[in-house]
Amino acid sequence: METSRDDFVIALRSAFLKKGTQQRFSLLSLIFFSIIFLILGNFNFKVINYIKLGINEIVYRSSFIVSVPENLLKDSYITLQNHNKLYKKNEKIKFELEILKAKDLSNEFIILENQRLKSIVDDYLVKSNTIIAKVLSDKGSPFLRSIIINKGSKHKINLGMVVMDGAYLVGKVVEVNYLSSRVLLLSDLNSKIPVIVEPNAVFSILSGTGKNYGIIQYSKKYDDIKSESVIYTSGSGNLFKAGIPIGKINNNFLSDEKKVEFFSDFSQLRFVKVLSFLKSETE
C-alpha cells in the first residue's frame, strides 16, 4: 500500500513539473515570437502589415466593447444631472412667471381705471408694515373655511387686517389671540366682499361657497360678466383697498352661476402676508 501511494505522489509531481515546463516554454515562445514580429515589422511585408492591422482592429474593437458600460453609466449620470438642472430651472421660471402674472394683473387694473378717468382708492391709502405669518392649521368643514396663523396681538395683528398669498387676496383676520389669529378665507360660506369684474367694470359681491370656488352675486350687469374676466377688490366699504387680484370667472361649471376660480390654492397655504390699509392723514 505504501509503495502505490509513493508512486501516485511521484506521478503527480511529474505532471506539475511537466505543466510548469510547458508554461515556461509557452512564455518563451511568446517572447520569441514578439521579438521576431517586431523585427519583421521594420520590413514592408504585406503579411506582417495585414497581421498588424488585424491585431489593431481586434484591440480597438475590444476597447470599444469594454468601454460601452462605462460610457453608458457616464452618459446616464450626465443625463440625470441635466434633467435635475432643467427641473430646477423650470421651477424657478414658473415661480417668476407667477410673480409677473400677479404684477400684470395689478397693472391691468390700474390702466383700466385710468382709462375711465376714475380716482383709485389706493391713492388715498397708506399700507401698514407687512407681517409674515406661518399657517399652523386649517379649519375645514363642509361649509366653513378658515386658517390659524402664528401671529397675534403681540405682533400687532388687529381684526379686519388683510391676508394675502403673495399678490393675491385670500381673506381677512376675524379673531385675534395673543400669539395666534384666525383668518376667514374668501371661500368660506360667510365671506362676502365687494369686487369689480374687469374689463367691463361690473361692480358686484363675491360670496364664498364653502368649496374651492366663489360665486358672483347681487350684480345689475350679470350678463356682462364673461368667461376669463378677472376679479379684483373694488375698494367699496373701505374693507379692502381697490385692485387686489382675487381670481377669474370660470364658466366650465354646469350651472349658470358666475363661478370664480381663485388665483391662490387655499389648501396649499404655508405662509401668508398680513397687512392693513389706512386713510392717509394728508387726505
Side-chain angles (χ1 to χ4, degrees), residues 65-225:
I65 294 172
V66 170
S67 64
V68 166
E70 180 183 358
N71 292 334
L72 182 61
L73 290 174
K74 187 185 297 182
D75 292 340
S76 300
Y77 177 74
I78 293 174
T79 301
L80 288 174
Q81 275 193 326
N82 292 335
H83 177 75
N84 188 40
K85 290 179 181 177
L86 186 62
Y87 176 80
K88 290 182 178 178
K89 186 176 180 180
N90 183 57
E91 290 297 314
K92 182 179 179 182
I93 292 174
K94 286 171 63 178
F95 176 75
E96 292 175 349
L97 180 60
E98 287 298 321
I99 294 176
L100 291 175
K101 284 172 63 179
K103 289 182 179 179
D104 184 63
L105 289 170
S106 297
N107 292 336
E108 182 181 350
F109 175 82
I110 295 174
I111 291 172
L112 291 170
E113 290 290 85
N114 287 337
Q115 287 176 346
R116 288 190 295 272
L117 301 177
K118 180 179 179 180
S119 298
I120 300 176
V121 177
D122 193 30
D123 290 342
Y124 304 98
L125 297 177
V126 291
K127 185 172 70 173
S128 67
N129 293 330
T130 299
I131 302 170
I132 304 299
K134 182 179 180 180
V135 177
L136 298 179
S137 64
D138 55 2
K139 291 186 176 181
S141 72
F143 302 104
L144 302 179
R145 293 288 186 270
S146 63
I147 57 175
I148 305 300
I149 58 176
N150 67 338
K151 297 294 173 69
S153 59
K154 177 184 176 181
H155 310 95
K156 299 182 180 180
I157 299 291
N158 298 314
L159 288 174
M161 292 186 74
V162 177
V163 181
M164 300 176 65
D165 176 25
Y168 306 130
L169 181 67
V170 298
K172 65 177 180 178
V173 177
V174 294
E175 181 181 319
V176 180
N177 303 310
Y178 184 65
L179 294 176
S180 64
S181 301
R182 186 166 69 92
V183 176
L184 187 72
L185 298 176
L186 298 180
S187 57
D188 189 278
L189 191 64
N190 298 314
S191 174
K192 295 183 184 297
I193 64 169
V195 296
I196 182 171
V197 184
E198 296 289 3
N200 294 329
V202 178
F203 288 90
S204 57
I205 298 295
L206 171 64
S207 299
T209 60
K211 300 179 181 179
N212 59 350
Y213 62 87
I215 57 174
I216 296 296
Q217 293 182 323
Y218 315 116
S219 175
K220 296 181 179 180
K221 299 181 180 179
Y222 200 74
D223 294 335
D224 292 339
I225 302 175

Side-chain angles (χ1 to χ4, degrees), residues 16 45 47 64 77 89 103 182 216 255 262 273:
F16 275 112
F45 292 114
V47 176
F64 171 76
Y77 177 74
K89 186 176 180 180
K103 289 182 179 179
R182 186 166 69 92
I216 296 296
S255 66
F262 298 112
K273 298 191 300 184

